[in-house]
Amino acid sequence: MLPRKLIPSPKELVYFLKLQKTASNMNYFNLLKKFLIMAILGTGFITETLGQSLPQIQNASVRAPANIKADGELKEWPNKNLSAYNLANRIYYVVANDDDNLYLTIRGSGAVPAFKILKEGVTFTVSHSVEKAKRAKDPQNISVTYPTSQEAVKVSSMMVPVFAAERLGRDTVKNKKELDSLTAAANARVEKTAKEIKVTGIKDIKDSILSVYNDKGIKAVLHFWKGEPIIELAIPLKYLDLSVTAPVRFSYQVKLSVPRLNGDFDIRDIQKGGVSAPVSISPDDAYRLTDTELWGEYILVGKKP
């Protein structure tokens, strides 16, 4: 449980939104510190024990549901825990495919991954190399990052309803109305801000930055569900040089980068004295201050005969 003084009060949440968003406003940045500390140390809605029965890495093939849609709603996934729970990244996730697209669906477990995802995005990399020594630096790798890096001010604004939702606790029945309202507020803010996708390595796409409304068939959506971040990506197989008619094993990486406050200061500076925190950082929290990633292997699966 966080010390009470570290948790923003309702009045602070309102005040936070009214403050001038300028570097000279020390009240704003003092309150931002409190939000960041909470993001680093917060427990979120989901305890890690819920993921213990799932594999850390998904290596099995999954045929995407016929009704799959990149909308951030998880309606096509009755098992909201998806296929794997990766402790290093604090995410539930599933990689799936149909005849046309490769899909990545992620459900973060609380405010910590939410902050990292909103600030620097999730990077999904596909590598045709399955050798551990070569896959990360294979020049043919293709990566999609969503959302693109955001200013700390904008991220903090998007996180306000998420933090407020966490304060309601785990009683989602009693607090359903309030949670629904806060989720709608968070989604509205995300939709206004997270409008770009970064792509690298796709020869047929010259621009590295695409709109979420692009005509290339690459889809990316970020929404919140009960205070948890949901990201869904869809990448056409043609860009990945993959086909269900001639499936080959390939590697994939999911990476969450360290949140940066600006061009030359990141959240790890908390440990170096950049932000004074009245509590110590435990070894179990160390991952929150570093880039976290996972690698798995996958082979496309066709329709059942």
Side-chain angles (χ1 to χ4, degrees), residues 7 9 44 66-67 84 94 99 126 133 135 148 168 182 188 204 222 234 236 252 263 274 282 284 291:
I7 303 177
S9 68
N67 64 334
V94 59
D99 290 348
V126 172
R135 62 190 183 186
T148 54
L168 295 177
L182 290 167
D204 295 335
L222 193 164
Y252 67 87
S282 70
D284 188 51
D291 293 339

Side-chain angles (χ1 to χ4, degrees), residues 214-230:
N214 68 84
D215 60 358
K216 308 299 183 182
I218 298 177
K219 299 178 181 179
V221 178
L222 193 164
H223 273 176
F224 281 88
W225 176 75
K226 295 184 179 180
E228 300 173 351
I230 306 295

Side-chain angles (χ1 to χ4, degrees), residues 25 43 184 252 266 294:
N25 194 323
T43 57
Y252 67 87
D266 66 47
L294 65 89

Side-chain angles (χ1 to χ4, degrees), residues 26-62:
M26 294 309 298
N27 287 332
Y28 171 78
F29 278 92
N30 286 334
L31 190 53
L32 176 59
K33 290 179 186 179
K34 185 176 287 189
F35 283 133
L36 291 177
I37 293 169
M38 184 176 179
I40 294 169
L41 302 177
T43 57
F45 282 99
I46 309 273
T47 61
E48 294 165 8
T49 56
L50 293 178
Q52 289 180 354
S53 62
L54 295 171
Q56 288 269 339
I57 303 294
Q58 175 198 331
N59 287 315
S61 300
V62 176

